[in-house]
Amino acid sequence: MANWQEIMTFIGESNRDVKLLEGDEKTGREECFDLNIPEKSLLYEIVCNTGGIVIDDWIRIFGQTKDNIGISHYNKEFGASHEMTGLFVVASDIVGGLFAININRFEDEANSIWYFAPDTLEWECLEMKYSEFFSWALQGNIDEFYETMRWNGWKKDAKEVGFDQGILIYPFLWANECIIDNADKKAVPFDELVALNFENEKRLFEDIYDEK
């Protein structure tokens, strides 16, 4: 997928519900320059040509930033937090998960995609580069990946959630008490959902540390 036309062809071959948010090429190029995104890379093409890509109303691949939505916004919003040190976030999902390129946070799998899982509050390596992640999101088995985080009726709920929102699930996905079909679900600003996950992660692991 060396150019945008090839990328569009690949997107068109997906059997998933894919939505492209409108982008401005000039704005995208400037943003790529500011973020040091290499020219002719897949990430460069996506940021240059879209405001983001939404897959099954669940996964959001970040494009250029507009109205506090996009790759610059989220990296600036989350980049100052300890949880994002050495990572470059490129996508999210509606339950608060984050997909990020490992720049220098973890010794293993540099430049691979790591996932901040809202059901464990930990980063896990997906053993994929960005291009592989893009292919997986469009044509891979994401249903199996999210099997324990989805509920009866999730498709209907997901359609009502904006790109700048997420679904807060309570009891939290990481809690032993969480039975996903019975849990309360509420659309909230995505920034707040991620901040809450990071806050819970910090508190949870501080408690474990104190017990030791």
Side-chain angles (χ1 to χ4, degrees), residues 16-81:
R16 302 201 171 277
D17 178 15
V18 182
K19 300 182 181 71
L20 272 67
L21 304 186
E22 185 177 353
D24 173 73
E25 186 174 356
K26 181 176 182 294
T27 299
R29 290 185 185 280
E30 291 173 352
E31 195 160 350
C32 285
F33 178 80
D34 290 341
L35 295 172
N36 295 316
I37 296 174
E39 290 188 35
K40 299 183 179 180
S41 66
L42 176 58
L43 179 57
Y44 182 90
E45 292 293 333
I46 290 173
V47 174
C48 278
N49 290 282
T50 79
I53 301 173
V54 183
I55 301 168
D56 285 348
D57 297 308
W58 188 276
I59 292 178
R60 296 88 170 265
I61 296 176
F62 298 152
Q64 59 193 243
T65 298
K66 180 180 179 182
D67 298 329
N68 291 331
I69 300 171
I71 198 162
S72 286
H73 168 74
Y74 289 120
N75 277 284
K76 290 176 181 177
E77 182 72 18
F78 308 137
S81 67

Side-chain angles (χ1 to χ4, degrees), residues 131-142:
S131 59
E132 295 170 312
F133 162 73
F134 183 73
S135 298
W136 169 79
L138 285 166
Q139 298 186 356
N141 194 353
I142 60 175

Side-chain angles (χ1 to χ4, degrees), residues 120-132:
T120 64
L121 301 182
E122 294 184 289
W123 288 99
E124 56 190 50
C125 182
L126 299 187
E127 299 182 347
M128 304 177 190
K129 302 301 184 185
Y130 181 82
S131 59
E132 295 170 312

